[in-house]
Amino acid sequence: MEAIKTITSRTVVLPLDDIDTDQIIPARFLRTTVRAGLGKNLFTDWRYNEDGSEIEDFVLNKPESKEAEILVAGRNFGCGSSREHAPWALLDQGFRAVISTEIADIFRNNSLKNGFIPVVITEQTHQWLLANPGAEISLDIEHKYLVLPDGRKEEFPLENFSRYCLLNGIDQLGFLMDNDSAISSYEDRML
Amino acid sequence: MSGKSLFDKIWETHTVLPESEDTPAILYIDLHLVHEVTSPQAFDLLRANQLKVRRPDLTLATMDHSTPTVPVSSLKELKIVSEPEAFNQIVQMEKNCEEFGLELRGLGNPERGIVHVIAPELGATQPGKTIVCGDSHTSTHGALGALAFGIGTTEVYHVLATQCLLQRKPKTFAINLDGSLQPGVTAKDIILGIIGEIGIDGGTGYAIEYRGPVAKQLSIEERMTICNMAIEGGARTGMFAPDDITYEYLNGRPQSPKDQDWDKAIEDWKKLPSDDDAHFDKTITIDISKLQPMATFGTNPGMVISVDGNIPSSTKSDQGFKKALDYMKLESGKPLSGTPVDVVFIGSCTNSRISDLRAAAQILNGRQVAKGVRTLIVPGSAQIKQQAEDEGLPEIFKAAGAEWREAGCSMCLAMNGDFVPEGKLAVSTSNRNFEGRQGKGARTVLASPLTAAASAINGVVTDPRTFIG
Ligand code: SF4
């Protein structure tokens, strides 16, 4: 995994609350056995017409959204299933972070393991971001804060271990492997 | 110091390394359930890193999500009835299990079925165990007093390789179920009522324990329905304290402890229930006596009312609410019952066990499904299918005009063959009414097997109490 220190980008705003994993990537695209290539089906039912052409006024299809790396969503993003295909699809589309006032547990876990940053912020900052789509903002992973265009900063929660792994591009499995002897002695004791 | 909860006790005994400010806990996993949809990329990671499965003996593999529900007796037949990608996924699963030495309850195996249905049925799910699966409805297993939750594919890889998981400890949430259940009101209505109350994010960050007089009386199958949908309230897991009902359910199952081991196990299990002075981070009480049969009207499980109620108007200025009603083609202020139904689906890991099928049969017996309503009844496992056949249930279903299928997830997530056509309205006993969940453009009303069966008969959303004398 690549080390991530900061992300600076314009935002794409999807103001809906409770965007669930079936919206992010419907089950019919889960028949794949690989991780790559899911981006084209991200938000697929909101994004394409019957004939497969793009729905022009859907935000992801607008030219200014193409290069954006930060998604701002309504509250409670990522609820629903445990499919890791959801962060895989977001990453494949080019997103590297999502911002909301609340992010579902499993989605958040899955995201951090793939270098996709779930950012939970205050209602006030959220309202500002929703009202200013396309704003250029920064996420500083090391210091755990978001920087608004006028320089205002807001700290966001990021668990220490995940932060360490992100900053150093470390795969979390390594930590488990390093504790192999503790696992073996647990097995001897308990099983 | 206050006492310990059921959750605390299981967490503590499974901690290989406690959490610190800088590192999550390492939690040992007693049972890892694996299915074909969320595992292929995990097996690829094992291969890429030249790792083995650490404990094949603690891993239970099956196929359920993308398997077709029409009978297939050979790979050739499978290929004919399957979508090509779903077929590929099934074949891949067989290869992966073979290569990594996992016993697979695959197509044709008499113990195959929906992963959350077969593990309890086999006695593999037991009180006090930690259980994970690359599937959010793993919470189901909490019905037997296990700590069970869904994980992503990277975590599936971690557990395959190390039998352990990195976890931050969730907070605890006690939900007291007070009063008593009224006729026509089921476990499904309890959990829909709870989600209506706490909201779909009310449980985020928590492990739920269901407690109180109603909890103590429910059967294991009813408890499974309630734990199954804990995730629909945002919680990682839901659990019930093990008791005599749990022990009776497990006694004599193939993987349950035997003889002296059984006595020893019961002794251990009796220590699991929460201490009287256990601390919970949050507690609510719900009066079950007031609960009615429930049904959803929107596009998440929290958009729920009593079946005989009117569709509310949004109280908050949420554009999602209006979008949901537009999608469902339903109107604020109008009654939900009476809405025309195109499809009825009775199945899924929420409601496909024998008691659910019996409940549906009770309504369908001697009656006819309304003209034009496609009614699909899908047992949760091959064993349930057999049991239902021994009891003569399929005859009742078929005489009523319903279809009777092979075990699998089927229309719950529409991955291989079974789906609700675009724009059609389905009353479903499954757990998610998200946009497109049951097929592109499908409109889903979640309800109990009684409500689903009653709606099939009338061809419109129906309060099942009109059928229960
Ligand atoms: S029945 Fe539905 S919810 Fe249950 S495991 Fe299958 S797809 Fe998931």
Side-chain angles (χ1 to χ4, degrees):
Chain A
M1 222 160 59
E2 230 177 283
I4 307 170
K5 299 218 159 36
T6 52
I7 298 170
T8 301
S9 161
R10 292 164 59 91
T11 61
V12 167
V13 173
L14 252 183
L16 292 169
D17 291 348
D18 305 318
I19 294 176
D20 58 70
T21 49
D22 279 84
Q23 261 46 78
I24 301 171
I25 182 92
R28 57 186 189 277
F29 302 108
L30 269 49
R31 294 183 285 227
T32 175
T33 53
V34 295
R35 280 189 285 186
L38 286 161
K40 61 181 182 298
N41 295 316
L42 178 69
F43 300 120
T44 193
D45 290 345
W46 295 343
R47 196 166 159 195
Y48 302 106
N49 290 304
E50 270 308 301
D51 61 3
S53 62
E54 291 189 348
I55 297 172
E56 254 171 58
D57 57 359
F58 181 63
V59 61
L60 231 58
N61 295 332
K62 298 197 169 149
E64 65 268 26
S65 299
K66 299 284 181 207
E67 301 294 314
E69 296 182 351
I70 300 176
L71 180 68
V72 176
R75 65 188 287 274
N76 191 32
F77 185 80
C79 55
S81 93
S82 67
R83 60 189 70 160
E84 205 157 309
H85 309 67
W88 293 339
L90 285 156
L91 279 165
D92 195 52
Q93 170 71 22
F95 287 112
R96 299 171 68 199
V98 63
I99 302 178
S100 178
T101 49
E102 193 169 349
I103 294 178
D105 281 340
I106 308 182
F107 176 83
R108 198 192 52 229
N109 269 336
N110 285 342
S111 296
L112 287 167
K113 293 197 169 55
N114 288 277
F116 182 80
I117 321 291
V119 179
V120 172
I121 47 156
T122 59
E123 189 71 41
Q124 200 191 357
T125 305
H126 191 229
Q127 286 304 330
W128 189 90
L129 288 169
L130 291 178
N132 293 279
E136 176 145 322
I137 62 167
S138 284
L139 299 168
D140 181 327
I141 309 302
E142 183 164 11
H143 303 98
K144 303 192 283 187
Y145 55 62
L146 173 152
V147 190
L148 293 173
D150 64 1
R152 261 183 304 152
K153 289 178 185 171
E154 179 177 316
E155 199 172 320
F156 60 83
L158 182 60
E159 190 252 326
N160 281 348
F161 181 71
S162 298
R163 174 169 152 272
Y164 174 80
C165 292
L166 291 168
L167 285 172
N168 296 288
I170 290 174
D171 181 348
Q172 300 194 5
L173 183 74
F175 182 68
L176 283 168
M177 301 292 255
D178 288 347
N179 282 285
D180 185 66
S181 62
I183 298 171
S184 295
S185 72
Y186 177 93
E187 285 176 326
D188 292 342
R189 200 167 70 242
M190 304 297 285
L191 304 186
Chain B
M1 224 188 95
S2 59
K4 288 175 187 163
S5 67
L6 166 64
F7 168 84
D8 295 330
K9 294 179 191 184
I10 304 178
W11 179 275
E12 277 173 23
T13 51
H14 288 80
T15 304
V16 174
L17 205 72
E19 62 182 337
S20 69
E21 209 178 299
D22 287 329
T23 50
I26 296 183
L27 208 61
Y28 197 82
I29 302 303
D30 293 322
L31 177 64
H32 185 197
L33 308 168
V34 182
H35 66 82
E36 77 278 23
V37 175
T38 55
S39 69
Q41 297 87 348
F43 286 112
D44 281 347
L45 284 167
L46 286 180
R47 265 188 290 268
N49 294 292
Q50 294 172 5
L51 294 166
K52 291 204 284 270
V53 175
R54 183 182 179 99
R55 297 297 299 255
D57 57 325
L58 302 181
T59 311
L60 196 162
T62 193
M63 302 198 280
D64 49 7
H65 283 68
S66 51
T67 54
T69 60
V70 291
V72 284
S73 56
S74 64
L75 265 188
K76 197 170 148 220
E77 270 182 43
L78 177 68
K79 192 160 194 169
I80 295 167
V81 300
S82 286
E83 312 263 346
E85 282 187 296
F87 172 78
N88 176 38
Q89 204 164 49
I90 293 166
V91 172
Q92 190 74 43
M93 182 68 176
E94 288 182 344
K95 278 198 197 134
N96 285 333
C97 288
E98 165 116 34
E99 181 181 337
F100 289 94
L102 302 180
E103 186 190 348
L104 172 66
R105 286 174 172 80
L107 288 175
N109 186 306
E111 292 177 344
R112 190 190 70 84
I114 304 174
V115 64
H116 309 309
V117 175
I118 68 169
E121 184 175 81
L122 292 168
T125 299
Q126 291 167 17
K129 277 193 179 183
T130 46
I131 302 176
V132 297
C133 174
D135 191 286
S136 59
H137 294 101
T138 309
S139 55
T140 312
H141 307 267
L144 289 103
L147 172 56
F149 50 89
I151 57 177
T153 297
T154 302
E155 292 173 314
V156 169
Y157 162 56
H158 290 180
V159 179
L160 287 172
T162 67
Q163 202 58 31
C164 286
L165 202 60
L166 294 167
Q167 279 291 298
R168 287 281 173 194
K169 194 174 179 174
K171 291 176 283 188
T172 50
F173 185 0
I175 300 186
N176 288 313
L177 307 176
D178 225 345
S180 59
L181 265 180
Q182 303 304 305
V185 185
T186 68
K188 182 62 162 288
D189 304 304
I190 294 182
I191 187 59
L192 287 172
I194 291 172
I195 298 164
E197 182 92 18
I198 67 172
I200 60 168
D201 53 1
T204 304
Y206 290 93
I208 294 174
E209 182 181 328
Y210 304 102
R211 298 159 61 83
V214 176
K216 291 200 176 81
Q217 285 162 18
L218 294 169
S219 71
I220 294 299
E221 298 198 354
E222 291 173 311
R223 292 177 191 182
M224 287 199 253
T225 299
I226 293 173
C227 287
N228 175 273
M229 291 185 70
I231 180 75
E232 275 13 287
R236 281 304 284 281
T237 192
M239 51 209 309
F240 281 81
D243 58 12
D244 290 342
I245 296 172
T246 318
Y247 313 146
E248 196 181 316
Y249 175 90
L250 282 172
N251 196 1
R253 293 193 181 259
Q255 298 191 17
S256 293
K258 305 266 164 351
D259 308 322
Q260 299 104 301
D261 289 348
W262 173 255
D263 299 334
K264 170 78 174 59
I266 295 224
E267 213 177 284
D268 291 344
W269 295 344
K270 284 195 166 153
K271 296 180 196 140
L272 288 169
S274 296
D275 300 334
D276 290 338
D277 59 344
H279 166 79
F280 291 92
D281 297 298
K282 183 156 96 173
T283 300
I284 62 164
T285 296
I286 293 185
D287 183 2
I288 299 301
S289 307
K290 293 204 194 103
L291 193 70
Q292 317 272 323
M294 304 292 283
T296 61
F297 60 89
T299 52
N300 71 52
M303 299 174 85
V304 64
I305 51 172
S306 61
V307 183
D308 62 1
N310 288 345
I311 296 161
S313 47
S314 174
T315 43
K316 42 180 185 162
S317 59
D318 175 9
Q319 25 171 322
F321 188 89
K322 192 182 167 296
K323 183 170 182 290
L325 287 194
D326 288 349
Y327 180 88
M328 290 299 293
K329 302 193 184 112
L330 294 172
E331 251 178 84
S332 288
K334 295 269 169 65
L336 179 61
S337 67
T339 304
V341 171
D342 305 295
V343 177
V344 167
F345 170 58
I346 297 175
S348 89
C349 57
T350 317
N351 284 119
S352 64
R353 286 169 283 266
I354 193 71
S355 54
D356 302 311
L357 302 179
R358 287 180 192 142
Q362 178 197 340
I363 303 256
L364 293 172
N365 193 7
R367 298 194 173 97
Q368 282 296 313
V369 164
K371 206 162 161 269
V373 177
R374 181 182 181 205
T375 303
L376 191 69
I377 305 182
V378 185
S381 72
Q383 289 203 56
I384 292 170
K385 179 166 188 267
Q386 186 59 52
Q387 190 177 353
E389 281 166 4
D390 293 345
E391 293 181 18
L393 302 184
E395 282 72 39
I396 295 174
F397 299 149
K398 286 180 208 159
E403 294 169 56
W404 174 241
R405 290 300 187 86
E406 298 294 318
C409 294
S410 181
M411 254 183 208
C412 175
L413 90 167
M415 277 191 70
N416 191 4
D418 304 334
F419 63 94
V420 177
E422 190 151 5
K424 301 291 184 195
L425 187 123
V427 177
S428 298
T429 66
S430 46
N431 44 48
R432 287 193 175 133
N433 52 342
F434 297 152
E435 278 184 33
R437 168 77 178 186
Q438 293 197 277
K440 185 167 190 261
R443 299 143 67 211
T444 300
V445 171
L446 299 175
S448 73
L450 289 177
T451 304
S455 303
I457 301 292
N458 285 350
V460 296
V461 176
T462 300
D463 187 332
R465 290 173 296 192
T466 54
F467 283 93
I468 296 167

